[in-house]
Amino acid sequence: MDQKLRLALRELDQDTSSPISYSGLSNALVKEKNSVHFMNSLGGNNVLKIHCISDEDDLGEHLLKPGEIYEFSFYDSIMGTLINCDLWQGIEFRFHANFRAYEGGGLIGHYGKQNFWFSRDDGIYFTHGKDEPKLEYKWVYSVLDMAPSHY
């Protein structure tokens, strides 16, 4: 297993915050949020650009240097939760991947679900944190459109 992956997973395992807690006099059970994690495992000094959009929010663009992690957490919507992401890397960010980084919710909500995405030179790898990451998506080379704008 990739050493950076081991370290990232070990940090999550050592998190001392309990996924289940009680609040107030009602003793209401607080469920753990779901999370999506991106790690730049690209070679050299390749910067990774990430832009994710959920069915409710635009999470903005984020730039990661090699070894950096971007992560966010959330509760599933009762109507379902979809998070689609675009990743770019390389010279002028010409290598691109677009994929669904998370799908859940609806009548059967998820709690504590973790999706780990690793950007490597040959593509995007995925794991829930229990198994070795597996290649899910290859980078697609994009030629910049140099045509004049119609606006």
Side-chain angles (χ1 to χ4, degrees), residues 106-121:
L107 295 177
I108 302 173
H110 295 102
Y111 298 99
K113 184 176 178 181
Q114 297 188 60
N115 288 4
F116 295 92
W117 297 96
F118 296 86
S119 298
R120 297 181 183 169
D121 293 329

Side-chain angles (χ1 to χ4, degrees), residues 12 15 17 31-38 52 54 56-57 59 62 69-77 81 83 102 110-115:
L12 287 170
D15 185 359
S17 62
K31 308 271 185 175
E32 184 177 8
K33 289 183 176 183
N34 301 306
S35 58
V36 176
H37 312 262
F38 293 94
C52 295
S54 76
E56 297 177 358
D57 296 304
L59 302 175
H62 302 272
I69 296 172
Y70 166 62
E71 54 195 7
F72 53 91
S73 57
F74 51 92
Y75 290 110
D76 280 343
S77 166
T81 302
I83 298 173
Y102 181 88
H110 295 102
Y111 298 99
K113 184 176 178 181
Q114 297 188 60
N115 288 4

Side-chain angles (χ1 to χ4, degrees), residues 19-101:
I20 300 174
S21 63
Y22 295 94
S23 63
L25 298 174
S26 67
N27 285 337
L29 194 59
V30 177
K31 308 271 185 175
E32 184 177 8
K33 289 183 176 183
N34 301 306
S35 58
V36 176
H37 312 262
F38 293 94
M39 181 169 192
N40 182 350
S41 298
L42 296 166
N45 287 324
N46 269 342
V47 172
L48 176 68
K49 180 164 70 169
I50 302 169
H51 183 219
C52 295
I53 298 175
S54 76
D55 39 359
E56 297 177 358
D57 296 304
D58 182 333
L59 302 175
E61 288 187 356
H62 302 272
L63 299 174
L64 301 183
K65 296 176 189 169
E68 288 186 332
I69 296 172
Y70 166 62
E71 54 195 7
F72 53 91
S73 57
F74 51 92
Y75 290 110
D76 280 343
S77 166
I78 194 160
M79 302 303 288
T81 302
L82 301 175
I83 298 173
N84 296 304
C85 297
D86 288 286
L87 277 62
W88 296 269
Q89 61 102 353
I91 296 172
E92 297 180 357
F93 296 109
R94 288 193 180 187
F95 292 93
H96 176 252
N98 174 272
F99 57 93
R100 179 153 296 150

